[in-house]
Amino acid sequence: AQSVTQPDIHITVSEGASLELRCNYSYGATPYLFWYVQSPGQGLQLLLKYFSGDTLVQGIKGFEAEFKRSQSSFNLRKPSVHWSDAAEYFCAVGAGDYKLSFGAGTTVTVRA
Amino acid sequence: KAGVTQTPRYLIKTRGQQVTLSCSPISGHRSVSWYQQTPGQGLQFLFEYFSETQRNKGNFPGRFSGRQFSNSRSEMNVSTLELGDSALYLCASSPGTDSGNTIYFGEGSWLTVV
């Protein structure tokens, strides 16, 4: 069975600064990896996904993530954070069977 | 293209009652899955349907059930509600025909059990 660990429960970052959210997964085969964002009281919005190919993937809202098989990681990055990026971010792993396992989430606070 | 639509958005039920939540997937999507989100347990997979058949099931008691109709719309039902069933229930859809397809979520249905 697959599992996901997001080591950081809460991150505070200044507006305009860079952001990196960590995600480590456990899965025996090639994983299908996703990052979702959730604003308070809302559903999950897909930021980006990795299935195969180029290990650096670009997503919406200026986010990117890099898949590193050797480290079992799929970290999310953004070069310059905007106040509207304050939200909770979830990393998820799937086996291609439409059943996702999610991490516990990382809450991002953006200070002015 | 409309996204995943869930109804109702908010509801309050009493312990022991049952509840039915509805989900309309993105047009053309045939896979519908359901997740429960709580502060304590996080996001947990309930089940997934494709062409009216349940393909995958999570580790939830039999009180949680679902179904899918021929137009791909789905419903989930929780019987004999318990306080611990209070949660955000998220529906997701995907084309479902190739492995690894992207999964899109709706806004969720907030269930409060009192």
Side-chain angles (χ1 to χ4, degrees), chain B residues 77-103:
Chain B
N77 183 275
V78 187
S79 63
T80 318
L81 284 165
E82 301 176 359
L83 295 179
D85 297 332
S86 295
L88 176 64
Y89 290 88
L90 291 162
C91 174
S93 80
S94 173
T97 52
D98 297 306
S99 61
N101 261 301
T102 308
I103 298 171

PDB file of all heavy atoms in Angstrom, chain B residues 77-103:
ATOM      1  N   ASN B  77     -24.338   7.116   0.546  1.00  0.00           N
ATOM      2  CA  ASN B  77     -25.292   7.056   1.639  1.00  0.00           C
ATOM      3  C   ASN B  77     -24.578   6.639   2.911  1.00  0.00           C
ATOM      4  O   ASN B  77     -23.696   5.761   2.881  1.00  0.00           O
ATOM      5  CB  ASN B  77     -26.397   6.050   1.302  1.00  0.00           C
ATOM      6  CG  ASN B  77     -27.473   5.999   2.367  1.00  0.00           C
ATOM      7  OD1 ASN B  77     -27.331   5.280   3.349  1.00  0.00           O
ATOM      8  ND2 ASN B  77     -28.526   6.755   2.183  1.00  0.00           N
ATOM      9  N   VAL B  78     -24.918   7.299   3.987  1.00  0.00           N
ATOM     10  CA  VAL B  78     -24.412   6.879   5.299  1.00  0.00           C
ATOM     11  C   VAL B  78     -25.633   6.601   6.164  1.00  0.00           C
ATOM     12  O   VAL B  78     -26.486   7.490   6.361  1.00  0.00           O
ATOM     13  CB  VAL B  78     -23.530   7.940   5.962  1.00  0.00           C
ATOM     14  CG1 VAL B  78     -22.898   7.374   7.234  1.00  0.00           C
ATOM     15  CG2 VAL B  78     -22.461   8.439   5.011  1.00  0.00           C
ATOM     16  N   SER B  79     -25.739   5.402   6.652  1.00  0.00           N
ATOM     17  CA  SER B  79     -26.873   5.033   7.499  1.00  0.00           C
ATOM     18  C   SER B  79     -26.471   5.072   8.966  1.00  0.00           C
ATOM     19  O   SER B  79     -25.278   5.047   9.297  1.00  0.00           O
ATOM     20  CB  SER B  79     -27.374   3.634   7.124  1.00  0.00           C
ATOM     21  OG  SER B  79     -26.366   2.672   7.370  1.00  0.00           O
ATOM     22  N   THR B  80     -27.453   5.133   9.828  1.00  0.00           N
ATOM     23  CA  THR B  80     -27.234   5.122  11.276  1.00  0.00           C
ATOM     24  C   THR B  80     -26.082   6.061  11.659  1.00  0.00           C
ATOM     25  O   THR B  80     -25.031   5.645  12.172  1.00  0.00           O
ATOM     26  CB  THR B  80     -26.951   3.701  11.784  1.00  0.00           C
ATOM     27  OG1 THR B  80     -27.815   2.763  11.148  1.00  0.00           O
ATOM     28  CG2 THR B  80     -27.197   3.631  13.291  1.00  0.00           C
ATOM     29  N   LEU B  81     -26.271   7.324  11.373  1.00  0.00           N
ATOM     30  CA  LEU B  81     -25.208   8.308  11.562  1.00  0.00           C
ATOM     31  C   LEU B  81     -24.696   8.354  12.995  1.00  0.00           C
ATOM     32  O   LEU B  81     -25.458   8.236  13.960  1.00  0.00           O
ATOM     33  CB  LEU B  81     -25.711   9.693  11.158  1.00  0.00           C
ATOM     34  CG  LEU B  81     -25.808   9.946   9.663  1.00  0.00           C
ATOM     35  CD1 LEU B  81     -26.643  11.186   9.383  1.00  0.00           C
ATOM     36  CD2 LEU B  81     -24.420  10.070   9.055  1.00  0.00           C
ATOM     37  N   GLU B  82     -23.379   8.528  13.079  1.00  0.00           N
ATOM     38  CA  GLU B  82     -22.699   8.693  14.367  1.00  0.00           C
ATOM     39  C   GLU B  82     -22.058  10.075  14.384  1.00  0.00           C
ATOM     40  O   GLU B  82     -21.800  10.676  13.330  1.00  0.00           O
ATOM     41  CB  GLU B  82     -21.631   7.610  14.544  1.00  0.00           C
ATOM     42  CG  GLU B  82     -22.182   6.200  14.493  1.00  0.00           C
ATOM     43  CD  GLU B  82     -21.082   5.149  14.563  1.00  0.00           C
ATOM     44  OE1 GLU B  82     -19.889   5.531  14.638  1.00  0.00           O
ATOM     45  OE2 GLU B  82     -21.422   3.944  14.537  1.00  0.00           O
ATOM     46  N   LEU B  83     -21.774  10.555  15.598  1.00  0.00           N
ATOM     47  CA  LEU B  83     -21.148  11.877  15.718  1.00  0.00           C
ATOM     48  C   LEU B  83     -19.851  11.943  14.919  1.00  0.00           C
ATOM     49  O   LEU B  83     -19.522  12.966  14.312  1.00  0.00           O
ATOM     50  CB  LEU B  83     -20.892  12.209  17.190  1.00  0.00           C
ATOM     51  CG  LEU B  83     -22.117  12.376  18.086  1.00  0.00           C
ATOM     52  CD1 LEU B  83     -21.689  12.678  19.513  1.00  0.00           C
ATOM     53  CD2 LEU B  83     -23.033  13.480  17.559  1.00  0.00           C
ATOM     54  N   GLY B  84     -19.122  10.843  14.917  1.00  0.00           N
ATOM     55  CA  GLY B  84     -17.833  10.801  14.218  1.00  0.00           C
ATOM     56  C   GLY B  84     -17.943  10.864  12.703  1.00  0.00           C
ATOM     57  O   GLY B  84     -16.920  10.966  12.017  1.00  0.00           O
ATOM     58  N   ASP B  85     -19.155  10.799  12.173  1.00  0.00           N
ATOM     59  CA  ASP B  85     -19.330  10.903  10.726  1.00  0.00           C
ATOM     60  C   ASP B  85     -19.340  12.355  10.270  1.00  0.00           C
ATOM     61  O   ASP B  85     -19.376  12.622   9.062  1.00  0.00           O
ATOM     62  CB  ASP B  85     -20.647  10.225  10.307  1.00  0.00           C
ATOM     63  CG  ASP B  85     -20.653   8.740  10.600  1.00  0.00           C
ATOM     64  OD1 ASP B  85     -19.560   8.123  10.604  1.00  0.00           O
ATOM     65  OD2 ASP B  85     -21.746   8.181  10.821  1.00  0.00           O
ATOM     66  N   SER B  86     -19.326  13.281  11.210  1.00  0.00           N
ATOM     67  CA  SER B  86     -19.254  14.693  10.860  1.00  0.00           C
ATOM     68  C   SER B  86     -17.953  14.939  10.104  1.00  0.00           C
ATOM     69  O   SER B  86     -16.861  14.646  10.612  1.00  0.00           O
ATOM     70  CB  SER B  86     -19.289  15.566  12.126  1.00  0.00           C
ATOM     71  OG  SER B  86     -20.523  15.436  12.791  1.00  0.00           O
ATOM     72  N   ALA B  87     -18.077  15.455   8.903  1.00  0.00           N
ATOM     73  CA  ALA B  87     -16.898  15.580   8.042  1.00  0.00           C
ATOM     74  C   ALA B  87     -17.259  16.335   6.782  1.00  0.00           C
ATOM     75  O   ALA B  87     -18.431  16.609   6.512  1.00  0.00           O
ATOM     76  CB  ALA B  87     -16.369  14.187   7.660  1.00  0.00           C
ATOM     77  N   LEU B  88     -16.219  16.641   6.011  1.00  0.00           N
ATOM     78  CA  LEU B  88     -16.394  17.135   4.655  1.00  0.00           C
ATOM     79  C   LEU B  88     -16.279  15.920   3.737  1.00  0.00           C
ATOM     80  O   LEU B  88     -15.286  15.202   3.783  1.00  0.00           O
ATOM     81  CB  LEU B  88     -15.316  18.161   4.315  1.00  0.00           C
ATOM     82  CG  LEU B  88     -15.315  18.692   2.881  1.00  0.00           C
ATOM     83  CD1 LEU B  88     -16.584  19.476   2.582  1.00  0.00           C
ATOM     84  CD2 LEU B  88     -14.081  19.569   2.632  1.00  0.00           C
ATOM     85  N   TYR B  89     -17.304  15.690   2.942  1.00  0.00           N
ATOM     86  CA  TYR B  89     -17.295  14.568   2.004  1.00  0.00           C
ATOM     87  C   TYR B  89     -17.036  15.121   0.605  1.00  0.00           C
ATOM     88  O   TYR B  89     -17.795  15.939   0.100  1.00  0.00           O
ATOM     89  CB  TYR B  89     -18.607  13.795   2.072  1.00  0.00           C
ATOM     90  CG  TYR B  89     -18.723  13.035   3.378  1.00  0.00           C
ATOM     91  CD1 TYR B  89     -19.273  13.640   4.506  1.00  0.00           C
ATOM     92  CD2 TYR B  89     -18.215  11.747   3.495  1.00  0.00           C
ATOM     93  CE1 TYR B  89     -19.327  12.956   5.721  1.00  0.00           C
ATOM     94  CE2 TYR B  89     -18.274  11.059   4.701  1.00  0.00           C
ATOM     95  CZ  TYR B  89     -18.824  11.681   5.806  1.00  0.00           C
ATOM     96  OH  TYR B  89     -18.876  11.005   7.014  1.00  0.00           O
ATOM     97  N   LEU B  90     -15.943  14.656   0.033  1.00  0.00           N
ATOM     98  CA  LEU B  90     -15.503  15.144  -1.259  1.00  0.00           C
ATOM     99  C   LEU B  90     -15.727  14.096  -2.335  1.00  0.00           C
ATOM    100  O   LEU B  90     -15.399  12.927  -2.158  1.00  0.00           O
ATOM    101  CB  LEU B  90     -14.021  15.503  -1.208  1.00  0.00           C
ATOM    102  CG  LEU B  90     -13.666  16.725  -0.358  1.00  0.00           C
ATOM    103  CD1 LEU B  90     -12.196  16.729  -0.017  1.00  0.00           C
ATOM    104  CD2 LEU B  90     -14.036  18.001  -1.094  1.00  0.00           C
ATOM    105  N   CYS B  91     -16.270  14.555  -3.428  1.00  0.00           N
ATOM    106  CA  CYS B  91     -16.442  13.712  -4.595  1.00  0.00           C
ATOM    107  C   CYS B  91     -15.387  14.117  -5.623  1.00  0.00           C
ATOM    108  O   CYS B  91     -15.033  15.298  -5.730  1.00  0.00           O
ATOM    109  CB  CYS B  91     -17.837  13.885  -5.168  1.00  0.00           C
ATOM    110  SG  CYS B  91     -18.122  13.025  -6.728  1.00  0.00           S
ATOM    111  N   ALA B  92     -14.893  13.145  -6.360  1.00  0.00           N
ATOM    112  CA  ALA B  92     -13.901  13.424  -7.390  1.00  0.00           C
ATOM    113  C   ALA B  92     -14.251  12.664  -8.653  1.00  0.00           C
ATOM    114  O   ALA B  92     -14.843  11.581  -8.586  1.00  0.00           O
ATOM    115  CB  ALA B  92     -12.507  13.020  -6.900  1.00  0.00           C
ATOM    116  N   SER B  93     -13.895  13.217  -9.787  1.00  0.00           N
ATOM    117  CA  SER B  93     -14.151  12.497 -11.028  1.00  0.00           C
ATOM    118  C   SER B  93     -12.907  12.465 -11.906  1.00  0.00           C
ATOM    119  O   SER B  93     -11.991  13.281 -11.770  1.00  0.00           O
ATOM    120  CB  SER B  93     -15.333  13.116 -11.792  1.00  0.00           C
ATOM    121  OG  SER B  93     -14.967  14.280 -12.518  1.00  0.00           O
ATOM    122  N   SER B  94     -12.898  11.493 -12.798  1.00  0.00           N
ATOM    123  CA  SER B  94     -11.787  11.271 -13.701  1.00  0.00           C
ATOM    124  C   SER B  94     -12.320  10.572 -14.938  1.00  0.00           C
ATOM    125  O   SER B  94     -13.325   9.882 -14.864  1.00  0.00           O
ATOM    126  CB  SER B  94     -10.742  10.391 -13.012  1.00  0.00           C
ATOM    127  OG  SER B  94      -9.724  10.029 -13.899  1.00  0.00           O
ATOM    128  N   PRO B  95     -11.648  10.741 -16.068  1.00  0.00           N
ATOM    129  CA  PRO B  95     -12.105  10.007 -17.255  1.00  0.00           C
ATOM    130  C   PRO B  95     -12.206   8.512 -17.003  1.00  0.00           C
ATOM    131  O   PRO B  95     -13.100   7.849 -17.473  1.00  0.00           O
ATOM    132  CB  PRO B  95     -11.048  10.336 -18.306  1.00  0.00           C
ATOM    133  CG  PRO B  95     -10.547  11.669 -17.904  1.00  0.00           C
ATOM    134  CD  PRO B  95     -10.576  11.671 -16.397  1.00  0.00           C
ATOM    135  N   GLY B  96     -11.221   7.976 -16.258  1.00  0.00           N
ATOM    136  CA  GLY B  96     -11.338   6.604 -15.791  1.00  0.00           C
ATOM    137  C   GLY B  96     -10.953   5.526 -16.769  1.00  0.00           C
ATOM    138  O   GLY B  96     -11.020   4.345 -16.454  1.00  0.00           O
ATOM    139  N   THR B  97     -10.528   5.906 -17.967  1.00  0.00           N
ATOM    140  CA  THR B  97     -10.285   4.851 -18.951  1.00  0.00           C
ATOM    141  C   THR B  97      -8.820   4.475 -19.073  1.00  0.00           C
ATOM    142  O   THR B  97      -8.495   3.441 -19.602  1.00  0.00           O
ATOM    143  CB  THR B  97     -10.792   5.287 -20.330  1.00  0.00           C
ATOM    144  OG1 THR B  97     -10.228   6.558 -20.638  1.00  0.00           O
ATOM    145  CG2 THR B  97     -12.306   5.387 -20.336  1.00  0.00           C
ATOM    146  N   ASP B  98      -7.925   5.310 -18.608  1.00  0.00           N
ATOM    147  CA  ASP B  98      -6.509   5.003 -18.630  1.00  0.00           C
ATOM    148  C   ASP B  98      -5.933   5.169 -17.236  1.00  0.00           C
ATOM    149  O   ASP B  98      -6.316   6.070 -16.510  1.00  0.00           O
ATOM    150  CB  ASP B  98      -5.747   5.930 -19.582  1.00  0.00           C
ATOM    151  CG  ASP B  98      -6.199   5.771 -21.017  1.00  0.00           C
ATOM    152  OD1 ASP B  98      -6.177   4.622 -21.504  1.00  0.00           O
ATOM    153  OD2 ASP B  98      -6.580   6.769 -21.628  1.00  0.00           O
ATOM    154  N   SER B  99      -5.014   4.331 -16.880  1.00  0.00           N
ATOM    155  CA  SER B  99      -4.445   4.436 -15.535  1.00  0.00           C
ATOM    156  C   SER B  99      -3.712   5.759 -15.392  1.00  0.00           C
ATOM    157  O   SER B  99      -3.117   6.269 -16.324  1.00  0.00           O
ATOM    158  CB  SER B  99      -3.476   3.280 -15.293  1.00  0.00           C
ATOM    159  OG  SER B  99      -2.410   3.324 -16.206  1.00  0.00           O
ATOM    160  N   GLY B 100      -3.782   6.302 -14.221  1.00  0.00           N
ATOM    161  CA  GLY B 100      -3.060   7.534 -13.926  1.00  0.00           C
ATOM    162  C   GLY B 100      -3.771   8.778 -14.350  1.00  0.00           C
ATOM    163  O   GLY B 100      -3.187   9.844 -14.363  1.00  0.00           O
ATOM    164  N   ASN B 101      -5.005   8.667 -14.726  1.00  0.00           N
ATOM    165  CA  ASN B 101      -5.726   9.862 -15.126  1.00  0.00           C
ATOM    166  C   ASN B 101      -5.877  10.850 -13.997  1.00  0.00           C
ATOM    167  O   ASN B 101      -5.998  10.490 -12.844  1.00  0.00           O
ATOM    168  CB  ASN B 101      -7.103   9.481 -15.656  1.00  0.00           C
ATOM    169  CG  ASN B 101      -7.120   9.443 -17.160  1.00  0.00           C
ATOM    170  OD1 ASN B 101      -6.845  10.441 -17.802  1.00  0.00           O
ATOM    171  ND2 ASN B 101      -7.413   8.298 -17.717  1.00  0.00           N
ATOM    172  N   THR B 102      -5.908  12.106 -14.346  1.00  0.00           N
ATOM    173  CA  THR B 102      -6.024  13.166 -13.367  1.00  0.00           C
ATOM    174  C   THR B 102      -7.371  13.091 -12.661  1.00  0.00           C
ATOM    175  O   THR B 102      -8.389  12.798 -13.272  1.00  0.00           O
ATOM    176  CB  THR B 102      -5.865  14.521 -14.055  1.00  0.00           C
ATOM    177  OG1 THR B 102      -4.662  14.493 -14.813  1.00  0.00           O
ATOM    178  CG2 THR B 102      -5.816  15.634 -13.045  1.00  0.00           C
ATOM    179  N   ILE B 103      -7.368  13.356 -11.390  1.00  0.00           N
ATOM    180  CA  ILE B 103      -8.554  13.288 -10.552  1.00  0.00           C
ATOM    181  C   ILE B 103      -8.917  14.687 -10.099  1.00  0.00           C
ATOM    182  O   ILE B 103      -8.093  15.382  -9.506  1.00  0.00           O
ATOM    183  CB  ILE B 103      -8.301  12.357  -9.352  1.00  0.00           C
ATOM    184  CG1 ILE B 103      -8.000  10.943  -9.857  1.00  0.00           C
ATOM    185  CG2 ILE B 103      -9.486  12.365  -8.392  1.00  0.00           C
ATOM    186  CD1 ILE B 103      -7.521   9.989  -8.799  1.00  0.00           C
TER     187      ILE B 103
END
